[in-house]
Amino acid sequence: MIVMKFGGTSVRGAERMRRVAEIVHNRLGEGPVVVTSAMAGVTDALSGLFEIALRGDREGLDDGLGRLRELHLGVAAELGGAGQSLDARLESHLRELRVLLRGLRLVGTARARSRDAVLGHGELMAQELLAAALTAAGCPTRLVPSTRVVVTDACFGAAAPDLEGTRRQARTEVSPLVEQGVVPVLGGYVGASPEGLPTTLGRGGSDLSASLLGLALGADAVEIWTDVDGLMTADPRRVQGARILPRATFREAAELAGFGAKVLHPASIDPALQGGVPVWIRNSLAPSRPGTLIGRQASGGGEVRAIASRASMAELRLHCPGRAMEGDFLGRLLLAATGPGPAPIQVAVGPAGVAIILPAEQASLAERQLVDLGEVQITASLGLVAAVGEGLAHRPDRWALWLEQAADLGLRRIVQGPFGSSLGVLLSESNVQTLVERWHALCLSSVEEGP
Ligand code: ADP
Ligand code: ASP
Ligand code: MG
């Protein structure tokens, strides 16, 4: 069995959905389970509509809903074949979405659970369309609602999966279909809380849906199909000359994702790592290319395999002399600092206090939560650049070389991953691109030199 996840760019429009259907059709013998994201841009549009509804903007809401309807029904018409039943199913999702959003417009406030219910609709509609494309390509297909399979906690907006619950559900809802030669099609990103309310796994979370299902189903491999040839030495949108990595270790991939390589959701490697399930990154626009294999095996090359970066970071410093090591102080601090958001990038603890690196949009909430624990200082407009490679841990003699290149760029803090397989710096945001380019050049030359 293989889990094949197709990202938003891979399912953007009828033509791309047909390509995806052909890719899956060619793999029918391997027992594919298909996971799809919303079409590119749709989750952003839904998030925008949620805000519009809360502002009470009736016209804006109707316009936005109209555009979403046009987009999805347009793709359905282009796909043809499935006819009225597909239109009716899309209309039913759109109706539910309209009811939800109009309700929010009238009330003017919303809980996180309502936002999840709205944002998950992109995947619900893409799932319908992709299932129709697969059927048209000759794949026996069955839609499986992710709310019946992916069990999560009730942390709306960034829900954490419950592996045992998901395993139980996947084995009853998904495995029997594969055994019958049917292709189950699930929407990524979406799950359900223990009470059965729809949750989302955080933005970009379809990758996590795929690796979680891979682990839960005991799949032979998880394939993340996207719009680039694989995991690369840098984001090809930022750096010309970025190269494909034929292999990477789980740890390297997890660190790259955590430090901002958008091609993978930061938590998506965790389940694969737990079960040792290999993860492939492949290009749905060029399916004959081999892609990147992420697994346990060493990946070779120089000490650094790739460079990742994140903008819009903040550093929060908490002055609390002598308290950091007291009882459950750190636990309380983390809970207060990040709330339901993603874990911070780094927490540095010392006798005088604690420093936390976190996304800027979490900083002001964190500040409000932490004032009771000590004096808080926030520095925003920071960026993070990280060099990642297992080889770094064995080449401390080279660390100075990397850091030297950042010395004139408003360096604020050095950030290292727990196993020494990453070396990063926090610096002024405006210098991120310069350092990415410098470190990428060094990364390529270190690969050429070899270990
Ligand atoms: P999808 O819609 O398939 O989920 P995403 O936009 O989430 O696609 O992720 C793919 C994008 O990730 C690529 O287009 C690329 O710009 C970006 N990216 C960032 N870092 C890397 C990297 N190291 N290797 C490959 N792609 C990367
Ligand atoms: N559609 C969701 C998002 O845009 C999840 C995903 O694409 O992975 O964040
Ligand atoms: Mg993605």
Side-chain angles (χ1 to χ4, degrees), residues 161-439:
D162 162 9
L163 174 62
E164 275 324 305
T166 304
R167 189 175 269 148
R168 226 176 16 250
Q169 292 302 108
R171 294 207 165 149
T172 54
E173 302 281 338
V174 180
S175 304
L177 296 173
V178 180
E179 279 153 26
Q180 294 157 31
V182 172
V183 181
V185 182
L186 292 97
Y189 183 49
V190 174
S193 69
E195 304 80 52
L197 295 167
T199 54
T200 63
L201 303 177
R203 294 303 306 273
S206 296
D207 300 330
L208 174 55
S209 307
S211 59
L212 175 69
L213 284 167
L215 177 62
L217 291 163
D220 299 312
V222 170
E223 299 181 353
I224 306 287
W225 290 81
T226 181
D227 63 345
V228 286
D229 283 343
L231 192 56
M232 303 181 75
T233 49
D235 183 347
R237 285 180 218 231
R238 264 191 183 274
V239 181
Q240 269 190 347
R243 296 189 196 160
I244 317 248
L245 297 170
R247 280 180 173 280
T249 65
F250 287 126
R251 195 181 283 171
E252 286 167 339
E255 297 248 25
L256 281 169
F259 283 122
K262 193 192 167 209
V263 67
L264 285 170
H265 180 278
S268 61
I269 292 297
D270 300 351
L273 181 58
Q274 258 185 66
V277 187
V279 177
W280 287 89
I281 314 281
R282 304 280 304 267
N283 189 347
S284 67
L285 304 172
S288 60
R289 302 207 181 131
T292 301
L293 172 60
I294 301 166
R296 288 210 168 110
Q297 230 181 335
S299 47
E303 78 263 17
V304 168
R305 316 288 336 279
I307 310 300
S309 68
R310 285 178 74 151
S312 305
M313 302 301 298
E315 185 196 54
L316 190 150
R317 289 180 176 171
L318 179 73
H319 299 264
C320 51
R323 293 195 60 194
M325 294 304 177
E326 273 173 18
D328 63 349
F329 185 86
L330 282 177
R332 283 199 293 137
L333 173 118
L334 280 180
L335 205 62
T338 58
I345 298 288
Q346 191 192 42
V347 179
V349 183
V354 182
I356 304 175
I357 302 174
L358 73 182
E361 77 259 16
Q362 285 173 232
S364 51
L365 177 67
E367 183 179 24
R368 284 200 298 280
Q369 305 284 337
L370 290 176
V371 282
D372 293 344
L373 299 180
E375 187 202 329
V376 185
Q377 254 175 5
I378 292 185
T379 310
S381 302
L382 297 174
L384 189 65
V385 180
V388 176
E390 300 265 12
L392 266 174
H394 312 295
R395 294 300 305 266
D397 56 311
R398 303 263 298 176
W399 296 352
L401 183 72
W402 289 85
L403 293 174
E404 222 169 70
Q405 306 227 355
D408 60 335
L409 297 178
L411 196 61
R412 186 169 174 92
R413 173 180 292 281
I414 297 168
V415 182
Q416 264 196 306
F419 304 103
S421 49
S422 59
L423 179 63
V425 293
L426 190 67
L427 74 176
S428 25
E429 197 166 38
S430 55
N431 289 331
V432 165
Q433 182 66 21
T434 307
L435 186 59
V436 168
E437 282 165 14
R438 285 185 191 174
W439 274 11

